Amino acid sequence: MSFEKIDQLCRKLEALEHSLAILGADEATHMAVGGGEKRAEAMSALAGMHHARATAPEIADWIDTAQQEALNEDQRAALHEFRRQYTNMTCLPTEFVERQTTARLRSEQLWRDLRPKNDWLSFLPALDGIVALVREEAELRAAATGLDRYDALMEQYDPGHRAIDIAPVFSELKTFLKGFVPEALAVQEERLAKNPLRPLSGVYPIDKQRELGLAMMAAVGFDFTHGSLSVSHHPFCGGVPTDVRITTRYKTSDFLSALMGVLHETGHAMYEQNLPKPWSHWPLGKARGMAMHESQSLFVEKQLGRNPAFWEWALPLIEQYLGEKWSKDEILAHVHWVERGLIRVDADEVTYPLHVILRFELEQELVSGRLKAADVPEAWDAKMRDYLGLSTIDTPQDGPMQDVHWPSGAFGYFPSYTLGAMMAAQQWAALEKLHPSVDDEIAKGKFDTVTTWRRDKIWSQGSRWSTPELMERATGEKLNAAHFTAHLKKRYGA
Amino acid sequence: MSFEKIDQLCRKLEALEHSLAILGADEATHMAVGGGEKRAEAMSALAGMHHARATAPEIADWIDTAQQEALNEDQRAALHEFRRQYTNMTCLPTEFVERQTTARLRSEQLWRDLRPKNDWLSFLPALDGIVALVREEAELRAAATGLDRYDALMEQYDPGHRAIDIAPVFSELKTFLKGFVPEALAVQEERLAKNPLRPLSGVYPIDKQRELGLAMMAAVGFDFTHGSLSVSHHPFCGGVPTDVRITTRYKTSDFLSALMGVLHETGHAMYEQNLPKPWSHWPLGKARGMAMHESQSLFVEKQLGRNPAFWEWALPLIEQYLGEKWSKDEILAHVHWVERGLIRVDADEVTYPLHVILRFELEQELVSGRLKAADVPEAWDAKMRDYLGLSTIDTPQDGPMQDVHWPSGAFGYFPSYTLGAMMAAQQWAALEKLHPSVDDEIAKGKFDTVTTWRRDKIWSQGSRWSTPELMERATGEKLNAAHFTAHLKKRYGA
Ligand SMILES: [Zn+2]
Ligand SMILES: [Zn+2]
């Protein structure tokens, strides 16, 4: 039976993915400094074996034959998603992939070197090459999937989202935020005039911060029989669903940065831990995509972790673990801090979407050919001035050179961040509508209602539906900006 | 070029071995408890891929063709060792390997269940089956290698050692020990009568014990840019040469057990860290075998770590890290403790070889068919009474059921432990002859002379020579019992 053949193949692929995931997590957390070269060789060889097996030409026949076999509904869904991913993985000719891999590696290395030097002009030829390759890739993916070119790129990260649907939602959000950012900042100013910010100036021992983080992870629902927390330079959620590795990074002067990071990664981790186990080796049993994944991390970090009710429960824990008493107003002043800035990754939830929308707009133009790489700094600067009142014309390192995405050829990824934020707000609204007293539960440190809803509606669904379908089934409506703007108004508005 | 094809294959195999080694170390040190099932699946799939690639039939032709190619001396040596390993890996038919794997897994599971129950009779049918399979395996390996049957089994673990050479050395050692154990015990009694044992009764914090261990590892020559120390239930040396993972297990009431374990694993680790790097992917670049590996761990644990000179340097460290003053006599009374016991893994360096020789003698009889599994308890008991004056007839769990080796089908492995101990003593003697003042250096915590000798003579040689050849080249004489017995007499004698 062809379905059975694919099932066996999926088990082999899962073994390789498991190995790559653990090797990757280990590299960032426990590897000796001199182990990198051999680790890179091993992982690249394993990735090669995975690619060769996953894209073998005979699989196309297996899919076609399996389609004719007597399959139940789950199997049909599994086969459907398998075909989608096989198409996405096989639509680029080997010759192209090799050219692109070389160019990406060079461009990323160059970027690491030139960004600290603020040297846009030396970087431009490399980016020019990357953009040309991305246009070629978009053509190839569009031809294979029947999608528009930019959509075909997004489809890798965020299956089912189309620019034609996203653009109006982003546009509405942008219009809202251009007015709302000044309002939120004014509210903050007013509050600060009355209550000056209490600085985070203690010395918070790392082992105490770690214990606090573990206590919060356990309360929120992280399963420690299937995961752990450790330390790495860049926090991440890695590993495998049966053994999720999350990391954070501690500063002794500030307990909030590590804690918020832990909550964010806990959101990612719980998605992985609660995926449908019988299908773990098939694409069907995996998380839906980048936007949905980010909605799960932002749900925990922003919808739960920055919710005032959450802090009613959390403040006594801060006192218990760190020995410091904070009032709700004092902590919320930090947790709800808003600030215009140049750097996306440092942005708060109010200003963040403007950074993303800027990139979404520019990369569509880059892919379509309407914008040239050489003209990016001016275009970027114009939008930054328009959206956030800041200029980057003299500091490309804090403008179009700030992210690794473009230098590494990842176009179509940026929207996921803000789609995730909007999806999290819409999920929260749906949940709160069903359970109007959920805030009271959270204030008592009870997260069962939240977890049950998320497990039923999102996690248990794996990749059964496209991202928009999954959202609509979970929340009863299509993705829209209203819940997110309402959330911001409630939390930051006048 | 065929040699080049094998080189490429070896790189792929190295990547899989790297992955398996890191996944294995990770499982014992950092894996979440619920991650075991998927980890086992992943590792078994990777092991299967490794086996399929390493034993592919076309490799036989590559070897033959490469033999005709213009190769330099290193390449010839690499090809020679590659062929030896290929023969060893391919000499069992798949049908046999599958039967054996199933039987081994069942027998090992049964043993884990029945050993605590002291239930020999229920275990006997499984062991009977294992012995039958081992006889079959020995025939197959003998046919493929041209070796005697027991030698063909040993060849997997300890290339080049033959029973005909080992038996007289073991026999001499046995005769010596039967007289020497009572002597060493009498010496110990006499000393205790004058100076009662100072018990290890402090509370030694684990973080302090860890720091002490790290300090000793660094002094002895462990390279922390290519390795690390962590904790696991069963101490081991794993990982890869560029990132060696050693572990220990701490008791707060006894700092010596963890420390001696750390020294032992450091000995294994330094062998791995100093293998010839350009050949790391070929068998030629790997450690020689179990006996040679054990000689390296025992060299550090017994020849260095239980050397009175070592403790002149080490005692101030104990005081510095643990805050306790010990005199050399007080600590040596523990470090040189001798005791007759039933359990091999708990034995000291004086009694240990008798445990091994007993097994060596019995397993040769089992493989040849002269001994039946059913008769093992009586045969074991007779030898235990003869060699150590102890009976195991009522406690098979502390007799023939104590080790995992036979239940898991590993016959021919046991000799390595005592061969390693003898080889370490002979290596020490050769080194001391060349550097008569090496004890003075060790008393100052200087290990450069020792490390340089070991690197030149052993580590840098990889698998270029058989175990006996490597020993003879390193020490200038064939393996013999004289150095080991002289070592015991000097350390434990009247
Ligand atoms: Zn995230
Ligand atoms: Zn050992």
Side-chain angles (χ1 to χ4, degrees):
Chain A
M1 226 179 98
S2 279
F3 187 86
E4 184 56 30
K5 270 194 228 166
I6 302 176
D7 190 79
Q8 289 305 316
L9 168 70
C10 285
R11 286 191 194 280
K12 290 268 194 303
L13 295 177
E14 186 188 30
L16 287 163
E17 289 155 15
H18 179 118
S19 306
L20 283 163
I22 297 297
L23 291 170
D26 178 88
E27 176 167 359
T29 52
H30 298 107
M31 190 180 74
V33 291
E37 201 180 325
K38 281 287 167 192
R39 178 63 53 88
E41 278 178 34
M43 290 183 69
S44 137
L46 252 64
M49 293 176 200
H50 184 277
H51 185 78
R53 281 174 189 257
T55 60
E58 61 268 28
I59 297 172
D61 299 332
W62 299 355
I63 298 173
D64 287 340
T65 316
Q67 204 79 48
Q68 314 305 322
E69 292 168 350
L71 303 178
N72 64 30
E73 205 186 325
D74 278 6
Q75 291 170 326
R76 292 237 160 262
L79 191 62
H80 177 265
E81 180 60 17
F82 183 86
R83 181 196 289 277
R84 196 191 66 79
Q85 296 213 7
Y86 181 73
T87 304
N88 271 276
M89 261 187 297
T90 51
C91 63
L92 306 178
T94 308
E95 171 278 325
F96 175 80
V97 171
E98 283 167 4
R99 253 193 307 140
Q100 195 183 37
T101 303
T102 310
R104 282 173 165 183
L105 280 175
R106 277 207 200 124
S107 146
E108 205 182 311
Q109 276 162 4
L110 205 62
W111 170 77
R112 283 188 202 286
D113 179 36
L114 296 173
R115 188 196 167 197
K117 299 179 185 156
N118 203 29
D119 186 353
W120 166 263
L121 282 180
S122 306
F123 178 57
L124 179 56
L127 185 61
D128 231 3
I130 289 289
V131 168
L133 284 162
V134 162
R135 288 177 188 155
E136 208 176 329
E137 180 185 355
E139 289 281 4
L140 289 162
R141 292 192 178 278
T145 58
L147 299 172
D148 285 351
R149 286 179 300 164
Y150 185 75
D151 289 350
L153 293 175
M154 270 203 300
E155 180 75 4
Q156 302 167 81
Y157 309 114
D158 202 9
H161 271 147
R162 308 288 172 242
I164 203 167
D165 302 319
I166 293 168
V169 178
F170 274 4
S171 173
E172 185 189 336
L173 181 57
K174 179 172 72 172
T175 307
F176 166 78
L177 287 176
K178 282 166 73 173
F180 186 70
V181 170
E183 177 184 327
L185 285 168
V187 169
Q188 180 167 272
E189 276 310 302
E190 221 172 288
R191 204 176 46 233
L192 287 175
K194 277 182 272 172
N195 301 302
L197 195 70
R198 171 177 167 188
L200 282 157
S201 60
V203 175
Y204 309 106
I206 286 170
D207 58 335
K208 295 292 166 193
Q209 287 196 56
R210 175 174 155 83
E211 284 170 30
L212 172 65
L214 292 173
M216 290 214 179
M217 287 165 72
V220 169
F222 185 96
D223 173 3
F224 281 98
T225 67
H226 292 102
S228 57
L229 168 70
S230 57
V231 173
S232 69
H233 189 65
H234 295 288
F236 64 83
C237 171
V240 293
T242 50
D243 185 10
V244 181
R245 309 288 173 98
I246 74 168
T247 68
T248 190
R249 181 175 42 180
Y250 297 101
K251 294 189 228 172
T252 52
S253 60
D254 167 10
F255 63 85
L256 272 176
S257 69
L259 190 60
M260 285 295 142
V262 164
L263 290 172
H264 182 95
E265 304 307 339
T266 296
H268 282 305
M270 289 174 71
Y271 193 0
E272 293 291 317
Q273 289 181 333
N274 289 281
L275 288 164
K277 290 184 183 41
W279 291 100
S280 71
H281 54 307
W282 283 76
L284 176 66
K286 302 203 165 87
R288 174 60 292 184
M290 298 306 169
M292 191 58 72
H293 230 306
E294 201 61 13
S295 82
Q296 295 311 293
S297 58
L298 293 175
F299 191 97
V300 175
E301 186 205 333
K302 311 282 194 201
Q303 298 300 324
L304 300 180
R306 295 177 196 257
N307 179 336
F310 180 89
W311 287 95
E312 281 181 34
W313 164 72
L315 284 175
L317 286 184
I318 301 289
E319 193 180 347
Q320 180 188 336
Y321 285 93
L322 305 180
E324 255 187 21
K325 241 188 155 68
W326 284 71
S327 76
K328 209 159 113 178
D329 284 346
E330 285 171 337
I331 204 87
L332 289 180
H334 286 283
V335 164
H336 294 166
W337 187 257
V338 181
E339 190 172 339
R340 284 191 184 99
L342 298 177
I343 306 298
R344 175 184 60 83
V345 296
D346 295 338
D348 53 81
E349 63 177 326
V350 181
T351 56
Y352 199 111
L354 292 170
H355 292 273
V356 166
I357 292 168
L358 175 155
R359 287 157 176 78
F360 170 68
E361 292 169 344
L362 292 184
E363 65 182 17
Q364 284 179 281
E365 306 265 301
L366 281 166
V367 170
S368 72
R370 289 189 300 272
L371 178 68
K372 284 186 294 184
D375 299 329
V376 163
E378 285 69 28
W380 188 287
D381 182 65
K383 284 187 190 284
M384 271 309 274
R385 283 189 284 118
D386 181 18
Y387 301 170
L388 284 164
L390 299 168
S391 170
T392 58
I393 199 69
D394 296 324
T395 53
Q397 65 182 351
D398 295 337
M401 285 180 89
Q402 72 182 263
D403 301 301
V404 69
H405 301 61
W406 291 352
S408 69
F411 286 69
Y413 188 111
F414 279 124
S416 306
Y417 296 111
T418 286
L419 291 167
M422 287 194 294
M423 288 154 72
Q426 186 165 325
Q427 289 160 19
W428 174 261
L431 164 65
E432 205 181 21
K433 199 169 165 191
L434 211 62
H435 303 283
S437 60
V438 64
D439 261 0
D440 300 339
E441 296 181 26
I442 290 171
K444 294 182 192 125
K446 296 199 179 304
F447 297 90
D448 293 356
T449 302
V450 174
T451 298
T452 303
W453 188 92
R454 297 170 73 207
R455 187 186 289 117
D456 290 353
K457 301 291 187 181
I458 316 266
W459 305 334
S460 65
Q461 302 303 304
S463 284
R464 184 174 291 265
W465 321 103
S466 74
T467 310
E469 281 169 335
L470 180 53
M471 265 308 283
E472 199 172 342
R473 287 176 160 267
T475 67
E477 54 186 316
K478 282 199 195 308
L479 178 69
N480 61 71
H483 298 291
F484 185 60
T485 56
H487 158 71
L488 293 183
K489 275 194 269 189
K490 184 178 167 204
R491 190 171 282 179
Y492 299 92
Chain B
M1 226 181 97
S2 280
F3 187 85
E4 184 56 30
K5 270 195 228 164
I6 302 177
D7 190 80
Q8 290 305 317
L9 169 69
C10 285
R11 286 191 195 280
K12 290 269 195 304
L13 296 177
E14 186 187 29
L16 287 164
E17 289 155 14
H18 180 119
S19 306
L20 283 163
I22 297 297
L23 291 170
D26 177 89
E27 175 167 0
T29 51
H30 298 106
M31 190 180 74
V33 291
E37 201 179 327
K38 281 287 168 192
R39 177 63 53 87
E41 279 177 35
M43 289 183 68
S44 135
L46 252 64
M49 293 176 200
H50 183 277
H51 185 79
R53 283 176 189 257
T55 60
E58 62 268 29
I59 297 171
D61 299 332
W62 298 355
I63 297 173
D64 288 339
T65 317
Q67 204 79 49
Q68 314 305 320
E69 291 168 352
L71 302 179
N72 64 30
E73 205 187 324
D74 277 7
Q75 290 170 325
R76 291 236 159 263
L79 190 63
H80 177 267
E81 180 59 18
F82 183 86
R83 181 196 287 276
R84 196 191 65 80
Q85 297 214 5
Y86 181 74
T87 304
N88 271 277
M89 262 188 295
T90 51
C91 63
L92 305 179
T94 308
E95 171 278 324
F96 175 80
V97 171
E98 282 166 3
R99 254 191 308 139
Q100 196 183 37
T101 303
T102 310
R104 282 173 166 183
L105 280 176
R106 277 206 202 126
S107 144
E108 205 182 311
Q109 277 162 5
L110 205 62
W111 170 76
R112 282 187 205 287
D113 180 35
L114 296 173
R115 189 196 165 195
K117 299 178 184 155
N118 203 28
D119 185 353
W120 167 262
L121 282 180
S122 306
F123 178 59
L124 180 56
L127 185 61
D128 231 4
I130 289 289
V131 169
L133 284 163
V134 162
R135 288 176 190 156
E136 207 176 331
E137 180 185 355
E139 290 281 5
L140 290 161
R141 291 192 177 277
T145 58
L147 299 172
D148 284 350
R149 286 178 300 163
Y150 184 76
D151 289 349
L153 294 175
M154 271 203 299
E155 180 74 5
Q156 301 168 82
Y157 309 114
D158 201 10
H161 271 149
R162 308 288 172 245
I164 202 166
D165 302 319
I166 294 168
V169 178
F170 274 5
S171 172
E172 185 189 334
L173 180 57
K174 179 171 73 170
T175 307
F176 167 78
L177 287 176
K178 282 167 71 173
F180 185 70
V181 170
E183 177 184 328
L185 286 168
V187 169
Q188 182 168 273
E189 276 311 302
E190 221 173 291
R191 205 176 45 232
L192 287 174
K194 276 181 272 173
N195 300 302
L197 195 70
R198 171 177 167 188
L200 283 157
S201 59
V203 175
Y204 309 105
I206 287 170
D207 59 334
K208 295 292 166 191
Q209 286 196 54
R210 176 175 154 82
E211 283 171 30
L212 172 65
L214 293 173
M216 289 213 180
M217 287 165 72
V220 169
F222 185 97
D223 173 4
F224 282 98
T225 66
H226 293 101
S228 57
L229 168 70
S230 58
V231 173
S232 69
H233 189 66
H234 295 289
F236 64 82
C237 171
V240 294
T242 49
D243 185 10
V244 181
R245 308 288 173 97
I246 74 169
T247 67
T248 191
R249 180 174 44 178
Y250 297 101
K251 295 188 228 173
T252 51
S253 60
D254 167 11
F255 63 84
L256 273 176
S257 68
L259 191 59
M260 285 295 141
V262 164
L263 289 172
H264 182 95
E265 304 307 338
T266 296
H268 282 305
M270 288 174 72
Y271 192 0
E272 293 291 316
Q273 289 181 332
N274 289 281
L275 288 164
K277 292 187 180 41
W279 291 100
S280 70
H281 54 307
W282 282 76
L284 176 66
K286 303 204 164 87
R288 173 62 291 184
M290 298 306 169
M292 191 58 72
H293 230 307
E294 201 60 13
S295 81
Q296 295 311 293
S297 57
L298 294 176
F299 191 98
V300 175
E301 186 205 333
K302 311 282 194 200
Q303 298 300 324
L304 300 180
R306 295 177 197 258
N307 179 336
F310 180 89
W311 287 95
E312 281 181 33
W313 163 71
L315 284 175
L317 286 184
I318 301 289
E319 193 180 346
Q320 179 188 337
Y321 285 93
L322 305 179
E324 256 188 19
K325 240 187 155 70
W326 284 71
S327 76
K328 208 159 113 180
D329 285 345
E330 285 172 338
I331 204 87
L332 290 179
H334 285 283
V335 164
H336 295 166
W337 187 257
V338 181
E339 190 172 339
R340 284 190 184 99
L342 298 176
I343 306 298
R344 176 184 59 84
V345 296
D346 295 338
D348 52 81
E349 64 176 326
V350 181
T351 56
Y352 198 110
L354 293 170
H355 292 273
V356 166
I357 292 168
L358 175 155
R359 287 157 175 79
F360 171 69
E361 292 169 344
L362 292 184
E363 67 182 14
Q364 284 178 281
E365 306 267 300
L366 282 166
V367 170
S368 73
R370 288 189 301 271
L371 179 68
K372 284 186 294 185
D375 298 331
V376 163
E378 286 68 28
W380 187 288
D381 183 65
K383 284 187 191 287
M384 271 308 274
R385 283 190 283 118
D386 181 19
Y387 302 170
L388 284 164
L390 300 168
S391 171
T392 57
I393 199 69
D394 297 324
T395 53
Q397 65 181 352
D398 295 337
M401 285 181 90
Q402 72 181 266
D403 301 300
V404 68
H405 302 61
W406 291 351
S408 69
F411 286 68
Y413 188 111
F414 279 125
S416 306
Y417 296 112
T418 287
L419 291 168
M422 287 195 292
M423 287 155 71
Q426 185 165 327
Q427 288 161 19
W428 173 261
L431 164 64
E432 204 181 22
K433 198 167 164 191
L434 211 63
H435 303 283
S437 59
V438 65
D439 262 0
D440 300 340
E441 296 181 28
I442 290 171
K444 293 182 193 125
K446 295 198 179 306
F447 297 90
D448 292 356
T449 302
V450 174
T451 298
T452 303
W453 188 92
R454 297 171 73 207
R455 185 186 289 116
D456 289 354
K457 301 291 188 180
I458 315 266
W459 306 334
S460 65
Q461 302 303 303
S463 284
R464 184 174 291 266
W465 320 103
S466 74
T467 310
E469 281 170 335
L470 179 54
M471 265 309 282
E472 198 171 343
R473 286 176 162 266
T475 67
E477 54 186 315
K478 282 199 195 310
L479 178 69
N480 61 73
H483 297 291
F484 185 61
T485 56
H487 157 70
L488 294 183
K489 275 194 268 188
K490 184 180 167 202
R491 190 172 283 180
Y492 300 92

